[in-house]
Amino acid sequence: MASYVLSPKTSVIGKEVIREDVRKKVAGQVLYSGDWVMPGMLYAKLVRAMYPHAKIKKIDSRGAYQVAGVVRVIEAKDVPVNQFYDDPSGLGEKIAQHKVFQDDEVRYVGEPICLVVAKTPEAAEKGAEAIWVDYDVLPSVHDPLEALKEDAPLVHPNGNTVVEWNVHKGDVDAVIAEPGLVHIQRTYRTQFVDHLYLEPESGVGWVDNDGIVTLRCATQVLEHYRDIARMLNLPENRVRVICPYVGGGFGGKEDMTVEPYLAIAAWITQKPVKMVWSRQESLSARPKRHPFIMTYDVWAKPHGELVAMKVDIIGDAGAYAMLSPRVLFAAAVVATGPYRIDHVDVKSHAVYTHNVPTSAFRGFGAMQMAFGYEQIMEEIAQELGIDAVELRRRHFIRKGDRLATGEIQDTAVWLNETMDNVLAELAKNPVPADSSKRIGRGIACTMQPYGRTVWFHDQASCWLNLESDGSVILRIGVPDIGGGQAASLCQIAAEILHVPLEDVRPYYGDSALTPLAGGTFATRQLYMSGNAVVQAALELQEKIDHVLTMTWGEQQWQWQDGIAHSASGLSISLPAIYEAASALHYPLSVHTTFHAQVGEGYDNRQGRAHKTFPDFTFGCHGAVVEVDEDTGMVKVLRYVASHDVGVAINPLSVEGQIHGGVVQGLGYALSEEVVYQEGQCVTTLFSQYMVPTAEEMPDITAIILESHEGKGPFHARGIGEPAISPVAPAIANAIADALGSRLRVRSLPITAEKIWRELSSTSSM
């Protein structure tokens, strides 16, 4: 494992660098996957299921071939291997995932049945409409609680439970028998939401002159080329995935979207094929964030000591497992929040329904749990008559503490620091606009893992070399989904190699030409690829220093802007060192692999682990809201967010991630919901899906703290996902504070209607 201590004097790390990709995006100069055009290109359109549960009796494609321009209809029988399998828990249990095309039994509305390939997008659309599918409609189940009943319709033959995770600590049943304890039980619910990235699912596929199936598409995972190879029954070296800049992912492009359809269409037609999903397809049929039902039982002593906690989590997995086992595991790990509680029982279930599948989404299960544990902390404090800030402070976990899973927290926990900063910023409450407005203030403190669970044996590779003119090429298979992943890696290389930042050029996102670094998800890229670049840069610098010494002798060398200066007055440039290395037949090139911290698999029977995730990022958010008593409308007046990021590689990017997380989280908290009625999506347009606009956003203050104890490069911590998790509970607590009288909306989104009903419930008493 690479380790590099940040020098007190840095040239690039910690500096506010305006990223090159941001300039280009603002100027509209970046070409995304959907912008790609090739001569003779065809267009593909999916035919999707109309019913949430039905047998397919017949697919009649004759009508499609009557449409001018339709080239081919592709069905399940045309796909060499039509079924995907995965081990989403990482513990060796293969689960049958979705099919490329369903040919037997559809399990949700929107499930792909066949593909129409045509010469124009319009012909593909008309061809898809002309396909006739004969169904035998079957009973369906859409509520996960109903799905767990014995007489519920089965989504899959083996039952409707995908997975159950357990976390056990201490002996809850024994301690809650103690007399005099205060006990409360509360249930919190979250909703389906969409990733709503700017760039929809899109790409172009073709077979090149060497017979390589090539996909240029918006994805978070280059390694999907292996799944495509298995689908086509081809060697993995016959499939290539290229990922240019991606216009947002948030987990929605972690599972495959257009990839299998582009590949099979290009393979069968031997022509370039383009596919761009409509926003309607994206909203209705692509995996969503898991709706959770979280029931908390908390026991406390009257003076304010939390004694025990039970948490029951039900996650709606939809029709296929996708990444539900991992999402519900992350939820179980953080179910008690960043608090020390000696006796804990957590059960976390993923349940099949005939709803659209749910899968990865920024926050990955930990976000929903924050909505639960940060409200139960407020409610138990209220029950005990203790200030909720003080109750949190008494129970914050600390470095060296044993978590609910049994693992030791081995890095700094700056919860007090982040909370103190937020409270100080929020100290000045705005004055109510008029007598019908109530002002409320709320905070939320959270922990969010970064990196994959340790039994996945995660790794990332990169290739770094010095060119003859002194410039540096960094090759790494990172999909850059908008978080500045590639730019941060360049900063790391520039810092260690003592070269100007503009002299480092990244080549990224190509499964055939850049070393694989794993997907951009789970807040893992800075941790994984960042450490890979540290490792490679240190090795390359060692090689450079070796050539320097071999050629110009042992001296005290000082580096500045790519030039080595000796105490005796020599100044040696990198081009000169490259020339000297060539004469020595000594390549100045490094290919290396960083291996993440590993550990044994999870003991689900005991509910214990030596380690789950490599580390966590901690933070606190706070909000001031204004609630209209007459309408229930909420206006967020101020928002403050503070995180310990270990070390900020580029403070501008960190601030951008925090701002983005807050904005996305405010939509989750107050308005966004994908609504399904008996499996049919009724929010398929922007006019129905209530994403907030810029006008509704408050001023956001980001406070970045640096403990220098993360496990990323230069001891940085991940911030991609942690920035979104505290938003919904901070808003919920602020609204509850404004409402007073113990009124609280315990389900998301917290709409004006729900608030108005809460207020009306007291006025009618």
Side-chain angles (χ1 to χ4, degrees), residues 167-195:
V167 174
H168 299 301
K169 181 183 181 187
D171 189 341
V172 172
D173 291 335
V175 298
I176 62 175
E178 183 181 331
L181 296 180
V182 177
H183 169 230
I184 66 168
Q185 182 186 75
R186 298 287 187 272
T187 296
Y188 308 97
R189 294 172 182 261
T190 65
Q191 76 281 38
F192 286 106
V193 288
D194 190 78
H195 307 74

PDB file of all heavy atoms in Angstrom, residues 167-195:
ATOM      1  N   VAL A 167     -26.594  -7.369  11.764  1.00  0.00           N
ATOM      2  CA  VAL A 167     -25.511  -6.765  12.554  1.00  0.00           C
ATOM      3  C   VAL A 167     -25.888  -6.935  14.019  1.00  0.00           C
ATOM      4  O   VAL A 167     -26.994  -6.549  14.426  1.00  0.00           O
ATOM      5  CB  VAL A 167     -25.342  -5.261  12.230  1.00  0.00           C
ATOM      6  CG1 VAL A 167     -24.322  -4.622  13.167  1.00  0.00           C
ATOM      7  CG2 VAL A 167     -24.923  -5.059  10.780  1.00  0.00           C
ATOM      8  N   HIS A 168     -24.983  -7.544  14.790  1.00  0.00           N
ATOM      9  CA  HIS A 168     -25.250  -7.758  16.215  1.00  0.00           C
ATOM     10  C   HIS A 168     -24.091  -7.236  17.059  1.00  0.00           C
ATOM     11  O   HIS A 168     -22.928  -7.497  16.752  1.00  0.00           O
ATOM     12  CB  HIS A 168     -25.423  -9.264  16.532  1.00  0.00           C
ATOM     13  CG  HIS A 168     -26.562  -9.902  15.819  1.00  0.00           C
ATOM     14  ND1 HIS A 168     -27.862  -9.467  15.950  1.00  0.00           N
ATOM     15  CD2 HIS A 168     -26.592 -10.948  14.943  1.00  0.00           C
ATOM     16  CE1 HIS A 168     -28.644 -10.220  15.202  1.00  0.00           C
ATOM     17  NE2 HIS A 168     -27.904 -11.119  14.579  1.00  0.00           N
ATOM     18  N   LYS A 169     -24.440  -6.549  18.109  1.00  0.00           N
ATOM     19  CA  LYS A 169     -23.426  -6.094  19.066  1.00  0.00           C
ATOM     20  C   LYS A 169     -24.044  -6.159  20.458  1.00  0.00           C
ATOM     21  O   LYS A 169     -25.169  -5.674  20.667  1.00  0.00           O
ATOM     22  CB  LYS A 169     -22.997  -4.658  18.744  1.00  0.00           C
ATOM     23  CG  LYS A 169     -21.923  -4.096  19.684  1.00  0.00           C
ATOM     24  CD  LYS A 169     -21.626  -2.647  19.331  1.00  0.00           C
ATOM     25  CE  LYS A 169     -20.546  -2.074  20.249  1.00  0.00           C
ATOM     26  NZ  LYS A 169     -20.366  -0.622  20.018  1.00  0.00           N
ATOM     27  N   GLY A 170     -23.350  -6.746  21.394  1.00  0.00           N
ATOM     28  CA  GLY A 170     -23.852  -6.824  22.760  1.00  0.00           C
ATOM     29  C   GLY A 170     -25.039  -7.756  22.868  1.00  0.00           C
ATOM     30  O   GLY A 170     -25.163  -8.740  22.130  1.00  0.00           O
ATOM     31  N   ASP A 171     -25.953  -7.446  23.798  1.00  0.00           N
ATOM     32  CA  ASP A 171     -27.122  -8.292  24.044  1.00  0.00           C
ATOM     33  C   ASP A 171     -28.330  -7.381  24.281  1.00  0.00           C
ATOM     34  O   ASP A 171     -28.634  -6.987  25.411  1.00  0.00           O
ATOM     35  CB  ASP A 171     -26.858  -9.185  25.268  1.00  0.00           C
ATOM     36  CG  ASP A 171     -27.940 -10.246  25.439  1.00  0.00           C
ATOM     37  OD1 ASP A 171     -29.038 -10.072  24.861  1.00  0.00           O
ATOM     38  OD2 ASP A 171     -27.687 -11.232  26.148  1.00  0.00           O
ATOM     39  N   VAL A 172     -29.004  -7.042  23.208  1.00  0.00           N
ATOM     40  CA  VAL A 172     -30.114  -6.092  23.298  1.00  0.00           C
ATOM     41  C   VAL A 172     -31.221  -6.611  24.202  1.00  0.00           C
ATOM     42  O   VAL A 172     -31.722  -5.902  25.092  1.00  0.00           O
ATOM     43  CB  VAL A 172     -30.670  -5.795  21.882  1.00  0.00           C
ATOM     44  CG1 VAL A 172     -31.949  -4.966  21.976  1.00  0.00           C
ATOM     45  CG2 VAL A 172     -29.633  -5.067  21.040  1.00  0.00           C
ATOM     46  N   ASP A 173     -31.628  -7.877  23.977  1.00  0.00           N
ATOM     47  CA  ASP A 173     -32.769  -8.406  24.722  1.00  0.00           C
ATOM     48  C   ASP A 173     -32.514  -8.399  26.231  1.00  0.00           C
ATOM     49  O   ASP A 173     -33.441  -8.207  27.029  1.00  0.00           O
ATOM     50  CB  ASP A 173     -33.085  -9.823  24.246  1.00  0.00           C
ATOM     51  CG  ASP A 173     -33.638  -9.817  22.830  1.00  0.00           C
ATOM     52  OD1 ASP A 173     -34.198  -8.790  22.421  1.00  0.00           O
ATOM     53  OD2 ASP A 173     -33.487 -10.829  22.123  1.00  0.00           O
ATOM     54  N   ALA A 174     -31.268  -8.622  26.626  1.00  0.00           N
ATOM     55  CA  ALA A 174     -30.956  -8.646  28.056  1.00  0.00           C
ATOM     56  C   ALA A 174     -31.021  -7.247  28.664  1.00  0.00           C
ATOM     57  O   ALA A 174     -31.616  -7.041  29.728  1.00  0.00           O
ATOM     58  CB  ALA A 174     -29.564  -9.254  28.278  1.00  0.00           C
ATOM     59  N   VAL A 175     -30.447  -6.256  27.985  1.00  0.00           N
ATOM     60  CA  VAL A 175     -30.345  -4.934  28.604  1.00  0.00           C
ATOM     61  C   VAL A 175     -31.667  -4.183  28.589  1.00  0.00           C
ATOM     62  O   VAL A 175     -31.920  -3.347  29.467  1.00  0.00           O
ATOM     63  CB  VAL A 175     -29.238  -4.076  27.954  1.00  0.00           C
ATOM     64  CG1 VAL A 175     -27.884  -4.726  28.127  1.00  0.00           C
ATOM     65  CG2 VAL A 175     -29.533  -3.806  26.492  1.00  0.00           C
ATOM     66  N   ILE A 176     -32.525  -4.479  27.625  1.00  0.00           N
ATOM     67  CA  ILE A 176     -33.780  -3.705  27.588  1.00  0.00           C
ATOM     68  C   ILE A 176     -34.774  -4.191  28.657  1.00  0.00           C
ATOM     69  O   ILE A 176     -35.806  -3.569  28.858  1.00  0.00           O
ATOM     70  CB  ILE A 176     -34.440  -3.751  26.192  1.00  0.00           C
ATOM     71  CG1 ILE A 176     -34.832  -5.189  25.811  1.00  0.00           C
ATOM     72  CG2 ILE A 176     -33.533  -3.144  25.152  1.00  0.00           C
ATOM     73  CD1 ILE A 176     -35.608  -5.265  24.495  1.00  0.00           C
ATOM     74  N   ALA A 177     -34.413  -5.301  29.308  1.00  0.00           N
ATOM     75  CA  ALA A 177     -35.250  -5.758  30.432  1.00  0.00           C
ATOM     76  C   ALA A 177     -35.011  -4.922  31.681  1.00  0.00           C
ATOM     77  O   ALA A 177     -35.768  -5.009  32.663  1.00  0.00           O
ATOM     78  CB  ALA A 177     -34.949  -7.232  30.725  1.00  0.00           C
ATOM     79  N   GLU A 178     -33.972  -4.116  31.651  1.00  0.00           N
ATOM     80  CA  GLU A 178     -33.647  -3.266  32.796  1.00  0.00           C
ATOM     81  C   GLU A 178     -34.800  -2.285  33.057  1.00  0.00           C
ATOM     82  O   GLU A 178     -35.275  -1.627  32.120  1.00  0.00           O
ATOM     83  CB  GLU A 178     -32.356  -2.507  32.502  1.00  0.00           C
ATOM     84  CG  GLU A 178     -31.857  -1.630  33.628  1.00  0.00           C
ATOM     85  CD  GLU A 178     -30.575  -0.898  33.234  1.00  0.00           C
ATOM     86  OE1 GLU A 178     -29.835  -1.447  32.405  1.00  0.00           O
ATOM     87  OE2 GLU A 178     -30.364   0.200  33.751  1.00  0.00           O
ATOM     88  N   PRO A 179     -35.262  -2.135  34.290  1.00  0.00           N
ATOM     89  CA  PRO A 179     -36.388  -1.226  34.558  1.00  0.00           C
ATOM     90  C   PRO A 179     -35.976   0.239  34.429  1.00  0.00           C
ATOM     91  O   PRO A 179     -34.814   0.585  34.599  1.00  0.00           O
ATOM     92  CB  PRO A 179     -36.776  -1.579  35.997  1.00  0.00           C
ATOM     93  CG  PRO A 179     -35.536  -2.148  36.598  1.00  0.00           C
ATOM     94  CD  PRO A 179     -34.814  -2.863  35.500  1.00  0.00           C
ATOM     95  N   GLY A 180     -36.976   1.055  34.126  1.00  0.00           N
ATOM     96  CA  GLY A 180     -36.766   2.496  34.125  1.00  0.00           C
ATOM     97  C   GLY A 180     -36.246   3.076  32.825  1.00  0.00           C
ATOM     98  O   GLY A 180     -35.973   4.281  32.752  1.00  0.00           O
ATOM     99  N   LEU A 181     -36.104   2.252  31.801  1.00  0.00           N
ATOM    100  CA  LEU A 181     -35.593   2.777  30.529  1.00  0.00           C
ATOM    101  C   LEU A 181     -36.702   3.492  29.767  1.00  0.00           C
ATOM    102  O   LEU A 181     -37.885   3.116  29.833  1.00  0.00           O
ATOM    103  CB  LEU A 181     -35.038   1.643  29.672  1.00  0.00           C
ATOM    104  CG  LEU A 181     -33.817   0.892  30.206  1.00  0.00           C
ATOM    105  CD1 LEU A 181     -33.405  -0.202  29.224  1.00  0.00           C
ATOM    106  CD2 LEU A 181     -32.656   1.845  30.469  1.00  0.00           C
ATOM    107  N   VAL A 182     -36.318   4.503  29.043  1.00  0.00           N
ATOM    108  CA  VAL A 182     -37.239   5.201  28.138  1.00  0.00           C
ATOM    109  C   VAL A 182     -37.131   4.545  26.776  1.00  0.00           C
ATOM    110  O   VAL A 182     -36.025   4.347  26.256  1.00  0.00           O
ATOM    111  CB  VAL A 182     -36.886   6.696  28.042  1.00  0.00           C
ATOM    112  CG1 VAL A 182     -37.804   7.396  27.035  1.00  0.00           C
ATOM    113  CG2 VAL A 182     -36.971   7.348  29.419  1.00  0.00           C
ATOM    114  N   HIS A 183     -38.263   4.180  26.201  1.00  0.00           N
ATOM    115  CA  HIS A 183     -38.259   3.480  24.904  1.00  0.00           C
ATOM    116  C   HIS A 183     -39.139   4.224  23.915  1.00  0.00           C
ATOM    117  O   HIS A 183     -40.267   4.615  24.235  1.00  0.00           O
ATOM    118  CB  HIS A 183     -38.780   2.037  25.092  1.00  0.00           C
ATOM    119  CG  HIS A 183     -39.066   1.344  23.787  1.00  0.00           C
ATOM    120  ND1 HIS A 183     -40.249   0.692  23.527  1.00  0.00           N
ATOM    121  CD2 HIS A 183     -38.325   1.233  22.652  1.00  0.00           C
ATOM    122  CE1 HIS A 183     -40.228   0.188  22.307  1.00  0.00           C
ATOM    123  NE2 HIS A 183     -39.080   0.497  21.742  1.00  0.00           N
ATOM    124  N   ILE A 184     -38.627   4.438  22.705  1.00  0.00           N
ATOM    125  CA  ILE A 184     -39.493   4.966  21.650  1.00  0.00           C
ATOM    126  C   ILE A 184     -39.286   4.124  20.400  1.00  0.00           C
ATOM    127  O   ILE A 184     -38.213   3.519  20.184  1.00  0.00           O
ATOM    128  CB  ILE A 184     -39.231   6.449  21.317  1.00  0.00           C
ATOM    129  CG1 ILE A 184     -37.841   6.660  20.709  1.00  0.00           C
ATOM    130  CG2 ILE A 184     -39.440   7.318  22.532  1.00  0.00           C
ATOM    131  CD1 ILE A 184     -37.673   8.045  20.104  1.00  0.00           C
ATOM    132  N   GLN A 185     -40.323   4.057  19.575  1.00  0.00           N
ATOM    133  CA  GLN A 185     -40.252   3.379  18.274  1.00  0.00           C
ATOM    134  C   GLN A 185     -40.779   4.338  17.209  1.00  0.00           C
ATOM    135  O   GLN A 185     -41.830   4.941  17.389  1.00  0.00           O
ATOM    136  CB  GLN A 185     -41.098   2.105  18.269  1.00  0.00           C
ATOM    137  CG  GLN A 185     -41.017   1.339  16.953  1.00  0.00           C
ATOM    138  CD  GLN A 185     -41.976   0.160  16.905  1.00  0.00           C
ATOM    139  OE1 GLN A 185     -43.185   0.319  16.733  1.00  0.00           O
ATOM    140  NE2 GLN A 185     -41.429  -1.040  17.069  1.00  0.00           N
ATOM    141  N   ARG A 186     -40.025   4.474  16.137  1.00  0.00           N
ATOM    142  CA  ARG A 186     -40.450   5.332  15.042  1.00  0.00           C
ATOM    143  C   ARG A 186     -40.134   4.646  13.705  1.00  0.00           C
ATOM    144  O   ARG A 186     -39.148   3.919  13.600  1.00  0.00           O
ATOM    145  CB  ARG A 186     -39.715   6.678  15.080  1.00  0.00           C
ATOM    146  CG  ARG A 186     -39.960   7.513  16.323  1.00  0.00           C
ATOM    147  CD  ARG A 186     -41.350   8.120  16.348  1.00  0.00           C
ATOM    148  NE  ARG A 186     -41.501   9.041  17.476  1.00  0.00           N
ATOM    149  CZ  ARG A 186     -41.888   8.687  18.700  1.00  0.00           C
ATOM    150  NH1 ARG A 186     -42.146   7.400  18.962  1.00  0.00           N
ATOM    151  NH2 ARG A 186     -41.998   9.594  19.666  1.00  0.00           N
ATOM    152  N   THR A 187     -40.977   4.935  12.723  1.00  0.00           N
ATOM    153  CA  THR A 187     -40.747   4.404  11.376  1.00  0.00           C
ATOM    154  C   THR A 187     -40.594   5.559  10.390  1.00  0.00           C
ATOM    155  O   THR A 187     -41.376   6.514  10.421  1.00  0.00           O
ATOM    156  CB  THR A 187     -41.920   3.499  10.949  1.00  0.00           C
ATOM    157  OG1 THR A 187     -41.965   2.362  11.824  1.00  0.00           O
ATOM    158  CG2 THR A 187     -41.732   3.002   9.521  1.00  0.00           C
ATOM    159  N   TYR A 188     -39.579   5.456   9.540  1.00  0.00           N
ATOM    160  CA  TYR A 188     -39.292   6.482   8.537  1.00  0.00           C
ATOM    161  C   TYR A 188     -39.293   5.826   7.152  1.00  0.00           C
ATOM    162  O   TYR A 188     -38.850   4.683   6.999  1.00  0.00           O
ATOM    163  CB  TYR A 188     -37.933   7.128   8.811  1.00  0.00           C
ATOM    164  CG  TYR A 188     -37.790   7.630  10.231  1.00  0.00           C
ATOM    165  CD1 TYR A 188     -37.155   6.843  11.199  1.00  0.00           C
ATOM    166  CD2 TYR A 188     -38.320   8.851  10.613  1.00  0.00           C
ATOM    167  CE1 TYR A 188     -37.043   7.285  12.509  1.00  0.00           C
ATOM    168  CE2 TYR A 188     -38.214   9.305  11.927  1.00  0.00           C
ATOM    169  CZ  TYR A 188     -37.570   8.519  12.876  1.00  0.00           C
ATOM    170  OH  TYR A 188     -37.470   8.946  14.174  1.00  0.00           O
ATOM    171  N   ARG A 189     -39.781   6.566   6.180  1.00  0.00           N
ATOM    172  CA  ARG A 189     -39.889   6.022   4.827  1.00  0.00           C
ATOM    173  C   ARG A 189     -39.252   6.966   3.817  1.00  0.00           C
ATOM    174  O   ARG A 189     -39.366   8.188   3.942  1.00  0.00           O
ATOM    175  CB  ARG A 189     -41.365   5.818   4.451  1.00  0.00           C
ATOM    176  CG  ARG A 189     -42.066   4.738   5.281  1.00  0.00           C
ATOM    177  CD  ARG A 189     -43.560   4.729   5.008  1.00  0.00           C
ATOM    178  NE  ARG A 189     -44.247   3.740   5.831  1.00  0.00           N
ATOM    179  CZ  ARG A 189     -44.598   2.531   5.420  1.00  0.00           C
ATOM    180  NH1 ARG A 189     -44.359   2.167   4.163  1.00  0.00           N
ATOM    181  NH2 ARG A 189     -45.202   1.675   6.234  1.00  0.00           N
ATOM    182  N   THR A 190     -38.609   6.355   2.827  1.00  0.00           N
ATOM    183  CA  THR A 190     -38.048   7.133   1.721  1.00  0.00           C
ATOM    184  C   THR A 190     -38.658   6.634   0.406  1.00  0.00           C
ATOM    185  O   THR A 190     -39.336   5.605   0.387  1.00  0.00           O
ATOM    186  CB  THR A 190     -36.520   7.026   1.664  1.00  0.00           C
ATOM    187  OG1 THR A 190     -36.159   5.660   1.373  1.00  0.00           O
ATOM    188  CG2 THR A 190     -35.886   7.429   2.987  1.00  0.00           C
ATOM    189  N   GLN A 191     -38.398   7.355  -0.675  1.00  0.00           N
ATOM    190  CA  GLN A 191     -39.135   7.163  -1.914  1.00  0.00           C
ATOM    191  C   GLN A 191     -38.234   6.738  -3.072  1.00  0.00           C
ATOM    192  O   GLN A 191     -37.018   6.807  -2.989  1.00  0.00           O
ATOM    193  CB  GLN A 191     -39.846   8.479  -2.271  1.00  0.00           C
ATOM    194  CG  GLN A 191     -38.951   9.587  -2.853  1.00  0.00           C
ATOM    195  CD  GLN A 191     -38.130  10.354  -1.854  1.00  0.00           C
ATOM    196  OE1 GLN A 191     -37.606   9.808  -0.885  1.00  0.00           O
ATOM    197  NE2 GLN A 191     -37.952  11.643  -2.106  1.00  0.00           N
ATOM    198  N   PHE A 192     -38.864   6.348  -4.196  1.00  0.00           N
ATOM    199  CA  PHE A 192     -38.127   6.178  -5.451  1.00  0.00           C
ATOM    200  C   PHE A 192     -37.693   7.559  -5.941  1.00  0.00           C
ATOM    201  O   PHE A 192     -38.508   8.489  -5.977  1.00  0.00           O
ATOM    202  CB  PHE A 192     -39.044   5.600  -6.548  1.00  0.00           C
ATOM    203  CG  PHE A 192     -39.379   4.144  -6.418  1.00  0.00           C
ATOM    204  CD1 PHE A 192     -40.645   3.752  -5.995  1.00  0.00           C
ATOM    205  CD2 PHE A 192     -38.460   3.167  -6.769  1.00  0.00           C
ATOM    206  CE1 PHE A 192     -40.987   2.414  -5.910  1.00  0.00           C
ATOM    207  CE2 PHE A 192     -38.798   1.818  -6.685  1.00  0.00           C
ATOM    208  CZ  PHE A 192     -40.054   1.438  -6.262  1.00  0.00           C
ATOM    209  N   VAL A 193     -36.453   7.702  -6.334  1.00  0.00           N
ATOM    210  CA  VAL A 193     -36.037   8.923  -7.036  1.00  0.00           C
ATOM    211  C   VAL A 193     -35.127   8.537  -8.195  1.00  0.00           C
ATOM    212  O   VAL A 193     -34.566   7.441  -8.237  1.00  0.00           O
ATOM    213  CB  VAL A 193     -35.288   9.937  -6.125  1.00  0.00           C
ATOM    214  CG1 VAL A 193     -36.237  10.601  -5.161  1.00  0.00           C
ATOM    215  CG2 VAL A 193     -34.137   9.281  -5.403  1.00  0.00           C
ATOM    216  N   ASP A 194     -35.011   9.467  -9.119  1.00  0.00           N
ATOM    217  CA  ASP A 194     -34.214   9.238 -10.319  1.00  0.00           C
ATOM    218  C   ASP A 194     -32.900  10.010 -10.248  1.00  0.00           C
ATOM    219  O   ASP A 194     -32.829  11.061  -9.613  1.00  0.00           O
ATOM    220  CB  ASP A 194     -35.001   9.691 -11.553  1.00  0.00           C
ATOM    221  CG  ASP A 194     -34.331   9.252 -12.835  1.00  0.00           C
ATOM    222  OD1 ASP A 194     -34.473   8.069 -13.187  1.00  0.00           O
ATOM    223  OD2 ASP A 194     -33.660  10.080 -13.479  1.00  0.00           O
ATOM    224  N   HIS A 195     -31.891   9.490 -10.941  1.00  0.00           N
ATOM    225  CA  HIS A 195     -30.578  10.136 -10.937  1.00  0.00           C
ATOM    226  C   HIS A 195     -30.615  11.480 -11.661  1.00  0.00           C
ATOM    227  O   HIS A 195     -29.897  12.400 -11.316  1.00  0.00           O
ATOM    228  CB  HIS A 195     -29.551   9.223 -11.590  1.00  0.00           C
ATOM    229  CG  HIS A 195     -29.513   7.850 -10.992  1.00  0.00           C
ATOM    230  ND1 HIS A 195     -30.494   6.917 -11.229  1.00  0.00           N
ATOM    231  CD2 HIS A 195     -28.627   7.262 -10.163  1.00  0.00           C
ATOM    232  CE1 HIS A 195     -30.211   5.802 -10.566  1.00  0.00           C
ATOM    233  NE2 HIS A 195     -29.085   5.983  -9.911  1.00  0.00           N
TER     234      HIS A 195
END
